[in-house]
Amino acid sequence: MTRAETKDRNRRALLEAAFEAVSRDGHRARLEDIAARAGLTTGAVYSLFGSKNGLVVALVTDHLRPHYEEIEQAVPAGLDLLEAVDALARHFRRTCDASEASAALSLQITLLDMALHDPELGSRLATSVQAQESHLVALFAGRPHRGSLVTPDQARRLAVALRALFTGLTQGVTLGLTPGADEQYFADAARALASGMACAGEDADASEACASK
């Protein structure tokens, strides 16, 4: 293999090993164990990711990238804001039935625990999630709603609110806490949220005019 191919193989091996170790041990996952599982040394981790925290952040980015690619495919262009939110909500509900739903929830909870134990890691994870969230902002910005187009600022506020909503709902479904939450339930909740959030950030006169439409 070329040097670039070897580097890519080592990177992938470390990410896979980190996923297994972090999912199992959380903040107690040891860098030495991750490297050994990948068949490498800790030096490879420092060379490729800079630190254990750098490896964990890369793991999150690697995990989120296909997630947002699937979202972009699930919400086609040409829909207005509420239609787009409806399609997104139904996509999130379908992910609850995927075979990897429990593993994804386990990793999510583990990463939260790690962030609480390591503020520096928590800050870096937040930055990574916010960067990936820009995909949702781009997905909503410019879509028609109530006679106008959604601005980037409105789309950003909505993306944050919807992420919180879907996180709570998907956790509830996966844990069996909300057995009646089907696709329509997700869609209704998301539409209700989007109807109000689209006007957030406007000045008083604009908000009043938007709400009256």
Side-chain angles (χ1 to χ4, degrees):
M1 291 188 294
T2 65
R3 183 174 182 179
E5 289 172 336
T6 299
K7 182 178 179 180
D8 183 67
R9 182 200 62 182
N10 291 347
R11 184 180 188 279
R12 176 54 50 191
L14 285 168
L15 286 172
E16 291 176 355
F19 178 86
E20 295 176 5
V22 168
S23 297
R24 185 189 66 237
D25 301 327
H27 69 276
R28 292 180 295 276
R30 299 174 65 249
L31 192 60
E32 293 80 4
D33 293 340
I34 293 173
R37 182 182 291 270
L40 299 166
T41 66
T42 56
V45 177
Y46 291 111
S47 175
L48 291 169
F49 301 101
S51 64
K52 175 184 172 182
N53 282 356
L55 173 59
V56 174
V57 172
L59 172 62
V60 172
T61 301
D62 188 71
H63 179 73
L64 289 177
R65 185 177 295 111
H67 169 67
Y68 282 106
E69 290 174 352
E70 291 174 359
I71 285 176
E72 291 172 352
Q73 294 175 4
V75 185
L79 303 180
D80 66 23
L81 178 65
L82 293 185
E83 290 171 336
V85 167
D86 187 292
L88 179 63
R90 294 177 186 278
H91 168 75
F92 266 90
R93 178 58 183 85
R94 289 191 293 272
T95 65
C96 297
D97 299 325
S99 59
E100 65 272 15
S102 295
L105 177 57
S106 177
L107 177 62
Q108 184 182 105
I109 294 173
T110 297
L111 289 170
L112 287 173
D113 181 58
M114 294 179 71
L116 290 173
H117 282 83
D118 187 339
E120 190 271 338
L121 174 60
S123 177
R124 294 184 64 178
L125 288 176
T127 298
S128 175
V129 171
Q130 289 165 357
Q132 293 296 321
E133 204 168 68
S134 63
H135 292 283
L136 284 184
V137 176
L139 194 67
F140 294 134
R143 291 186 185 269
H145 181 63
R146 292 178 175 175
S148 60
L149 300 180
V150 178
T151 68
D153 182 62
Q154 292 169 340
R156 186 173 299 105
R157 293 167 66 94
L158 178 59
V160 172
L162 285 174
R163 174 169 56 80
L165 173 66
F166 293 141
T167 296
L169 287 178
T170 54
Q171 287 179 356
V173 172
T174 305
L175 294 172
L177 302 176
T178 51
D182 56 10
E183 284 190 24
Q184 191 60 52
Y185 186 102
F186 271 55
D188 289 344
R191 277 177 169 266
L193 180 60
S195 294
M197 284 297 297
C199 292
E202 301 280 357
D203 59 40
D205 292 337
S207 293
E208 183 177 354
C210 184
S212 66
K213 292 182 180 180

